[in-house]
Amino acid sequence: MKVHILDDWFDTLRGLPCFAKLDAHEVTVWTDHAPDPAALAARVQEADALVLFRERTRITADLLDRLPHLKLISQRSVYPHIDVDACTRTGVLLCSNMHSGTPSYAAAEHTLALILASYRQIPDQVASIRAGQWQSGVGRTLRGRTLGLYGYGRIAQAVAGYARALGMTVQWWASDDGRARAAANGEQVAASRHSFFATSDIVSVHVRLKPATRGIITADDLAAMAPRSLFVNTSRSGLVETGALETEVAQNRIFAAIDVFDTEPLTDPAHPLLTARNVLPTPHLGYVTEDEFDLQFSDIFDQINAYADGAPIHMINPETWTTP
């Protein structure tokens, strides 16, 4: 099969053990981003299969209509960036391993890294010493603080383990079902939503983005947070009400550590979340490690080989598949 891999910005996959799974295929790797559907379609016109790097490229009906040879899209995890109905209409099978029971430890680790870096002012301290000015301020200790985790899922539970190892108290808020599961497991669930935001020194969001969760973190939630508290988002920007975080941090009352943005890649240095001194931004690094890539793309390449063998796995729109 002619396999095209999109958005491998640092040409990482060729050097990973999992890449050998594609030895039987003709592989093209694109190391830059092509957001225009017409330009992208011209690049991958001969592709039998597209491999996606999470949500870096949107797969729209406009794009699919320009790719008559495309048979398969292979990726991992959720797919809000893919028009599944258009895939089905154009005869393109979408395969995506939902990796039940396997959290992204890379994302959990990055959450902890952002919390530590923000509390200890690491970016500012590094800039200070490089400028020959030694210390630039005084950070804060995490031990004894309360970490509020919004969403009782796999990544949040991994973060909770790291926090407890540092001597932090962990409390939870989530959907009705999530709070019930947390309580059943002996976890500390906040008495109310308002109490959760008001009494957490740090709030970290770990929820999947879908129509029901879009904008689930509101301006009122952020306003309820105590002065000098920290809001962390390594999940999806769309979970926060549009403009609410920008408005809140502009008041210079709380801090934020953000790995996700409404527009990605975000290359506007004047964006308010990049210029605010009380915001620590990183460019969607949560899942970006060699180890995580090898894990994820091993699954993705298995899906390609299964399709080539006539026995597709992890089908999202199985009605598209017809046995040869």
Side-chain angles (χ1 to χ4, degrees), residues 289-313:
T289 71
E290 293 179 359
D291 311 83
E292 185 73 12
F293 282 176
D294 194 53
L295 173 67
Q296 292 190 15
F297 284 91
S298 182
D299 288 344
I300 291 169
F301 298 158
D302 283 344
Q303 290 168 175
I304 291 174
N305 288 331
Y307 180 93
D309 291 340
I313 56 177

Side-chain angles (χ1 to χ4, degrees), residues 107-239:
E109 290 174 4
H110 191 65
T111 300
L112 176 62
L114 286 176
I115 292 171
L116 283 165
S118 181
Y119 254 62
R120 297 305 296 269
Q121 305 174 349
I122 289 175
D124 287 345
Q125 299 286 2
V126 170
S128 180
I129 193 171
R130 284 180 169 168
Q133 297 173 359
W134 201 229
Q135 297 178 6
S136 66
V138 180
R140 292 182 285 171
T141 303
L142 288 175
R143 187 175 186 84
R145 308 276 181 182
T146 297
L147 172 63
L149 292 169
Y150 194 114
Y152 191 65
R154 296 164 298 187
I155 294 177
Q157 291 175 50
V159 174
Y162 303 153
R164 291 184 177 115
L166 293 173
M168 301 183 73
T169 298
V170 176
Q171 69 173 348
W172 299 86
W173 196 255
S175 64
D176 291 345
D177 176 67
R179 297 199 306 277
R181 287 187 290 111
N185 290 334
E187 299 284 2
Q188 178 179 326
V189 177
S192 68
R193 183 185 185 95
H194 183 273
S195 174
F196 171 80
F197 283 95
T199 62
S200 296
D201 297 296
I202 301 162
V203 171
S204 186
V205 183
H206 302 278
V207 178
R208 281 184 170 175
L209 179 61
K210 51 188 179 181
T213 61
R214 183 169 292 278
I216 197 170
I217 306 298
T218 68
D220 287 343
D221 293 330
L222 298 176
M225 295 177 68
R228 301 189 75 210
S229 56
L230 173 66
F231 178 77
V232 183
N233 190 358
T234 56
S235 294
R236 292 294 182 271
S237 178
L239 295 169

